[in-house]
């Protein structure tokens, strides 16, 4: 896909951890080689406001292109839309189940289905704890389809000083999956 900006579809669902989606959009906005396409679920609007104090319009302003959750006719709903993949940050168990079972009942699930059928990278930052058997089976199904299950679990080897440090480290790892250069978190240099 030469001669164009890289395209990433970003979805924010109603699971806790809205900060991951927001921070991802903030970082992508600073990368001129990336065009972001955003879908925010109705439930995510509530979570975004509760957890970050942000309104839908403020979050949508971080994206290059915004699609409505119920617009199944959007460009990202077609395999002919050229993208490098999709990140659902955070990913609710409802969205995980929809993707695992190919329901395509809204634009988020349909775009994820398209990414899988076109053999592109799909990263689901699943947020729930503890997991029940349905969650585990749905994660297995998505993995078997080629998706990446990426629970946003904090790491401590880089000695984070704040929640923002932990969020940045997680977002950095997601960006690494797409080969995007960043300066968000230090690289592991081994033990001294």
């Amino acid at each position: 896909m030469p001669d164009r900006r890289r395209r990433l579809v970003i979805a924010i669902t109603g699971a806790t951890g809205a900060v991951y989606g927001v921070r991802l959009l903030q970082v992508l906005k600073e990368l001129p080689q990336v065009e972001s396409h955003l879908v925010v679920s109705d439930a995510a609007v509530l979570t975004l406001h509760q957890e970050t104090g942000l309104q839908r319009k403020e979050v949508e302003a971080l994206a290059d292109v915004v699609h409505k959750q119920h617009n199944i006719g959007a460009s990202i709903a077609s395999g002919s839309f050229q993208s490098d993949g999709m990140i659902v940050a955070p990913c609710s168990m409802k969205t995980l189940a929809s993707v695992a079972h190919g329901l395509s009942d809204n634009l988020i699930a349909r775009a994820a289905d398209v990414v899988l059928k076109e053999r592109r990278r799909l990263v689901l930052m699943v947020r729930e704890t503890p997991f029940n058997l349905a969650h585990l089976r749905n994660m297995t199904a998505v993995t078997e389809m080629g998706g990446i299950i990426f629970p946003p679990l904090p790491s401590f080897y880089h000695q984070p000083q704040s929640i923002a440090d932990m969020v940045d480290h997680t977002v950095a790892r997601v960006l690494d999956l797409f080969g995007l250069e960043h300066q968000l978190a230090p690289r592991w240099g081994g033990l001294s």
Side-chain angles (χ1 to χ4, degrees), residues 19-20 154 158 160-170:
V19 66
Y20 293 108
H158 65 292
Q161 300 300 303
S162 66
I163 291 173
D165 287 348
M166 290 187 280
V167 169
D168 277 357
H169 187 267
T170 299

Side-chain angles (χ1 to χ4, degrees), residues 12 18 21-22 25-26 38 40-63 66 68:
I12 301 177
V22 171
L25 288 167
Q26 290 169 338
L38 175 65
V40 177
S41 76
D42 295 337
V45 174
L46 300 173
T47 306
L48 280 161
H49 184 67
Q50 173 66 33
E51 294 182 356
T52 69
L54 296 172
Q55 299 295 323
R56 176 192 292 260
K57 288 184 190 262
E58 294 171 284
V59 175
E60 290 177 344
L62 296 170
V66 176
K68 298 301 178 194

